[in-house]
Amino acid sequence: MGDPRSDIGAAGERVAAAFLQRHGITVERRNVRVGRGEVDLIGSHGRTRFLIEVRSRVSDYAPIDAFDHAKREQLWRLSREAGVSRVDLVAVGFGSRFVAVHWIPSAL
């Protein structure tokens, strides 16, 4: 059995990738090292490439709340290092009877 947080994060990334693909986004790579950090997904649509941060939660708290100032700063830096100007956020919430996905294109 793996770490529960890692398992939830990995499940959220799978859900997010499938959701984005259904909406015409090509998921090029997953869990990519960029400088000193890691990017959950790299996606593209047409000629536009962008980073995708996935936040997943199993709780009463919205996963979007995990996208705080420190995370925004880190993603801004990573986007510059990766040479992209767009960062999307996908929040995945796991409930007892549902999975909710909230996609925010160009969150930064």
Side-chain angles (χ1 to χ4, degrees), residues 19-78:
F19 175 88
L20 292 167
Q21 289 168 335
R22 284 192 308 272
H23 286 85
I25 302 299
T26 299
V27 176
E28 296 179 0
R29 297 178 63 196
R30 297 176 190 217
N31 302 313
V32 180
R33 298 286 313 159
V34 177
R36 293 186 189 187
E38 182 179 271
V39 175
D40 294 327
L41 305 170
I42 294 180
S44 64
H45 186 259
R47 300 173 102 172
T48 304
R49 289 185 71 224
F50 46 93
L51 306 182
I52 302 160
E53 174 68 12
V54 180
R55 305 307 276 176
S56 306
R57 294 287 181 270
V58 178
S59 72
D60 294 334
Y61 297 102
I64 198 100
D65 293 339
F67 191 60
D68 59 14
H69 179 73
K71 184 50 110 172
R72 281 193 295 275
E73 290 294 319
Q74 177 189 27
L75 289 169
W76 182 256
R77 181 182 49 79
L78 293 177

Side-chain angles (χ1 to χ4, degrees), residues 82-103:
V84 301
S85 59
R86 175 176 158 183
V87 177
D88 288 11
L89 172 65
V90 178
V92 180
F94 294 99
S96 60
R97 296 182 186 208
F98 66 90
V99 175
V101 179
H102 186 170
W103 174 30

